[in-house]
Amino acid sequence: MEITWEQLNKFVDEPYLSRGEKYCDEGLVGIVKEGKKYVKAQVLGSTMYEVTLRLINKRLSGECNCPAFEDFGPCKHIAATGLALLKGENYVYSPVYERRAQGKSRIEELLIRQAKSKLVALLLPVINENPDMLLQLGEEGAELLDGGTYFWE
């Protein structure tokens, strides 16, 4: 997908453009799939974020699965992806990105092979320490959080 600086600048506001530039310069964007009108990428931040950019009628749009996108719209991960696209063949992946991307894939494969009961046993103490994680489980999780029923011994 080919975009222009003007399209990216119109879609992503400051300070996210500047923050995204740092991610791009550090090689933390991995282009996963690219077509004429879209790109899917992974951006290494505090975790691996999934970014999708689309070009429709010469207008850039897209989304990211980070919390900032949900609250504020186009984020630094989107900016970093757009900047990596602008660099094209001059963009260089960081060895850190490569290791984390491979590690994420191996961890996902390991988790998929586990029994549900084992995963539940692993998650319960984590949720007890980080109850806001219940919000990721939808309305029912939010109700449990609001009711304070997530604590156990």
Side-chain angles (χ1 to χ4, degrees), residues 25 34 46 75-76 78 85 98 108 110 136 145 150:
D25 289 347
E34 186 174 1
S46 54
C75 60
K76 61 188 174 186
I78 286 176
L85 282 174
E98 293 291 340
E108 285 175 339
L110 174 64
Q136 301 298 314
L145 181 63
Y150 55 87

Side-chain angles (χ1 to χ4, degrees), residues 1 7 14 41 46-47 60 70 74 107 112 118 130 147:
M1 179 170 93
Q7 289 166 326
E14 285 295 346
S46 54
T47 187
L60 192 61
E70 199 170 301
I107 291 169
I112 287 168
K118 187 172 189 176
N130 305 285

